Amino acid sequence: MVSITSDPIDVSSALTLLQSDQAGAIDFFLGMVRDNTQQRSVDHLEYEAYDRMAISEMRKIVEQAREQWTILKCVVVHRKGTLRVGEIAVLIGVSTPHRADSFDACRYIIDTIKQTVPIWKKEVFTDGETWVNAHP
Amino acid sequence: MVSITSDPIDVSSALTLLQSDQAGAIDFFLGMVRDNTQQRSVDHLEYEAYDRMAISEMRKIVEQAREQWTILKCVVVHRKGTLRVGEIAVLIGVSTPHRADSFDACRYIIDTIKQTVPIWKKEVFTDGETWVNAHP
Amino acid sequence: MNTQISVLLFGITRDLTGQSAVTLPLTEGARVSDLLESIHAQFPDLARIRSMMVAVNGEYAEPDLALSSSDEVALIPPVSGG
Amino acid sequence: MNTQISVLLFGITRDLTGQSAVTLPLTEGARVSDLLESIHAQFPDLARIRSMMVAVNGEYAEPDLALSSSDEVALIPPVSGG
């Protein structure tokens, strides 16, 4: 299940979606909003998504992961809008029969999301703002 | 925080313990009770721990992880007693500034727990039972 | 016959242009690279963004892909999700 | 002077002996390896378990560690947590 939401991300609901009697392992990765980046103090983040394409790119990544590892269930939820320090920006959850697959697949999915999915993050500092990776 | 419990493991409480304004990443590993092992159908598991030593060995593992990676907070909870299919047997949670550390540390902790911590699992099948790794 | 094509803008491209979409003339047989060139001519600031991609109908598009006025086109500046 | 030492049993060692602790005589200067030998003599089934470890006061102990009757000793059959 792949989604983009403006609401806070709930780990318990994701866990319910990942449950499977065949699952021996679940790995969750949470990307969190932290209070600083390169020594600058972050006030909040603004996430913007090209929803249609972001969903389709995330689905492709999950399919690529399913081709490489034995995955029972997979949840990817990305937040958009204004996020405060301590909030969850992205959740990846993978349930698998064996533990190595859960780590490898989860890591592949988050690493690849950061490379290809059309979602943009603006860091709003106490003294300015920057579109991450893109500022000229 | 390292603990052994007879009660169901709650992911939301663990998440609260891992929160930190400096955290950019949280990785959770959940070891789940699955319904089969080597094609035999599992009815339930019995976990037994040498509590005192298990706690002290798990603390050592967390310290070893802290020496290798930049970790903000770490939670390790192992269940004991009777566990049904679909229940969480162990939870490892690690919050870190950067994501690679969260995966590496979490994986190190679960891999090492399985090698050194005095906790024993008996698989109770529909047609027999086995102490995992130890049956002569 | 000249038609028009609308281009969706996100993130830094929306901030730099002050618009969430721009409409540009589309000449017969125009390709992605032609469209990028006319956007850069109209908004020189956008030319300063490294590795700008273009998506057509929700998929990353190569520079030589031919465009039609019914395509959904978007500029994709460097992504930063996660 | 002969004293006694108590040994905690877990998992398969508890199942095979039917006890969660056994008490054995401890001769002056006895080491971990001596204790294992007398346990195996009393419970031959335990000798069949591969890589049995011994913990003394909550730490894995080498075979040549000398024991005292006040030590907390435990047999550690192959672990299977997680």
Side-chain angles (χ1 to χ4, degrees):
Chain A
M1 208 217 58
V2 162
S3 64
I4 294 177
T5 177
S6 302
D7 300 322
I9 292 175
D10 180 42
V11 180
S12 303
S13 323
L15 177 58
T16 306
L17 292 168
L18 292 170
Q19 287 275 354
S20 160
D21 283 357
Q22 291 98 57
I26 292 178
D27 194 51
F28 273 116
F29 175 80
L30 309 180
M32 310 295 293
V33 178
R34 70 170 191 277
D35 65 0
N36 74 90
T37 179
Q38 289 157 345
Q39 268 88 62
R40 288 184 81 183
S41 180
V42 168
D43 183 73
H44 67 274
L45 297 186
E46 299 280 347
Y47 277 92
E48 187 177 336
Y50 179 13
D51 290 60
R52 165 199 174 172
M53 182 176 172
I55 293 280
S56 117
E57 290 294 323
M58 290 193 287
R59 285 195 181 132
K60 283 183 200 168
I61 295 167
V62 170
E63 281 314 303
Q64 290 156 9
R66 286 185 178 279
E67 285 162 16
Q68 295 172 77
W69 298 283
T70 301
I71 294 176
L72 296 165
K73 295 187 179 173
C74 183
V75 176
V76 177
V77 189
H78 205 298
R79 180 93 179 268
K80 66 176 182 178
T82 301
L83 274 79
R84 303 278 156 193
V85 169
E87 289 198 281
I88 303 172
V90 61
L91 173 151
I92 322 290
V94 180
S95 60
T96 60
H98 301 288
R99 78 181 182 286
D101 284 354
S102 74
F103 282 111
D104 290 340
C106 195
R107 194 166 189 160
Y108 173 81
I109 293 169
I110 182 63
D111 287 353
T112 313
I113 281 177
K114 284 173 173 274
Q115 291 164 13
T116 67
V117 175
I119 296 179
W120 298 273
K121 173 166 64 180
K122 181 159 71 174
E123 291 169 338
V124 182
F125 304 104
T126 41
D127 60 348
E129 56 181 49
T130 306
W131 284 103
V132 177
N133 295 349
H135 228 270
Chain B
M1 210 218 59
V2 162
S3 64
I4 294 176
T5 177
S6 302
D7 299 322
I9 291 175
D10 179 42
V11 178
S12 303
S13 323
L15 178 58
T16 306
L17 292 168
L18 292 170
Q19 287 275 352
S20 159
D21 283 356
Q22 290 99 57
I26 292 178
D27 194 52
F28 273 116
F29 175 81
L30 309 180
M32 310 295 293
V33 178
R34 70 170 191 276
D35 64 2
N36 73 90
T37 180
Q38 288 156 345
Q39 270 88 61
R40 287 182 81 182
S41 179
V42 169
D43 183 74
H44 67 275
L45 297 185
E46 299 280 346
Y47 277 92
E48 185 176 338
Y50 178 14
D51 290 61
R52 164 201 175 172
M53 182 176 171
I55 293 281
S56 116
E57 289 294 323
M58 290 194 288
R59 285 195 181 131
K60 282 183 202 169
I61 295 167
V62 170
E63 281 315 302
Q64 290 157 9
R66 286 185 178 278
E67 285 162 16
Q68 294 173 76
W69 298 283
T70 301
I71 294 176
L72 297 164
K73 296 186 181 173
C74 183
V75 176
V76 178
V77 189
H78 206 299
R79 181 94 180 268
K80 66 177 182 177
T82 301
L83 274 79
R84 303 277 155 194
V85 169
E87 289 198 281
I88 303 171
V90 62
L91 174 152
I92 321 291
V94 181
S95 60
T96 60
H98 301 289
R99 76 180 183 287
D101 284 355
S102 74
F103 281 111
D104 290 341
C106 196
R107 194 165 189 160
Y108 173 82
I109 292 170
I110 182 62
D111 286 354
T112 314
I113 281 177
K114 285 175 172 274
Q115 291 163 14
T116 66
V117 175
I119 297 178
W120 299 272
K121 173 165 64 178
K122 181 159 71 173
E123 291 170 337
V124 181
F125 303 103
T126 42
D127 60 348
E129 55 181 51
T130 308
W131 285 102
V132 177
N133 296 346
H135 228 270
Chain C
M1 190 188 86
N2 271 10
T3 53
Q4 296 203 304
I5 194 162
S6 171
V7 179
L8 303 175
L9 303 173
F10 298 97
I12 194 166
T13 64
R14 190 173 40 65
D15 273 10
L16 288 174
T17 59
Q19 301 172 62
S20 60
V22 293
T23 301
L24 295 164
L26 184 75
T27 51
E28 185 74 37
R31 296 171 187 275
V32 163
S33 54
D34 303 319
L35 184 75
L36 257 184
E37 213 168 283
S38 61
I39 290 173
H40 288 164
Q42 191 170 340
F43 302 98
D45 279 353
L46 296 185
R48 293 160 55 210
I49 297 173
R50 289 168 296 110
S51 41
M52 180 90 83
M53 307 286 280
V54 175
V56 177
N57 300 323
E59 302 280 341
Y60 285 106
E62 297 296 326
D64 63 354
L65 183 74
L67 293 168
S68 105
S69 62
S70 61
D71 288 333
E72 180 177 306
V73 178
L75 287 193
I76 311 289
V79 303
S80 50
Chain D
M1 189 189 85
N2 272 10
T3 54
Q4 295 204 305
I5 193 162
S6 171
V7 179
L8 303 174
L9 302 174
F10 299 96
I12 194 168
T13 63
R14 189 173 41 64
D15 272 11
L16 288 174
T17 59
Q19 300 173 64
S20 60
V22 292
T23 301
L24 296 163
L26 183 75
T27 51
E28 185 75 33
R31 296 170 188 276
V32 163
S33 53
D34 303 321
L35 184 74
L36 257 184
E37 213 168 282
S38 61
I39 290 173
H40 287 164
Q42 191 170 337
F43 302 99
D45 279 352
L46 295 185
R48 293 160 54 210
I49 298 173
R50 288 167 296 109
S51 40
M52 180 89 82
M53 307 284 281
V54 174
V56 177
N57 300 321
E59 302 279 341
Y60 285 105
E62 296 296 325
D64 63 354
L65 183 75
L67 294 167
S68 105
S69 62
S70 61
D71 288 333
E72 179 176 307
V73 178
L75 286 193
I76 311 289
V79 302
S80 50

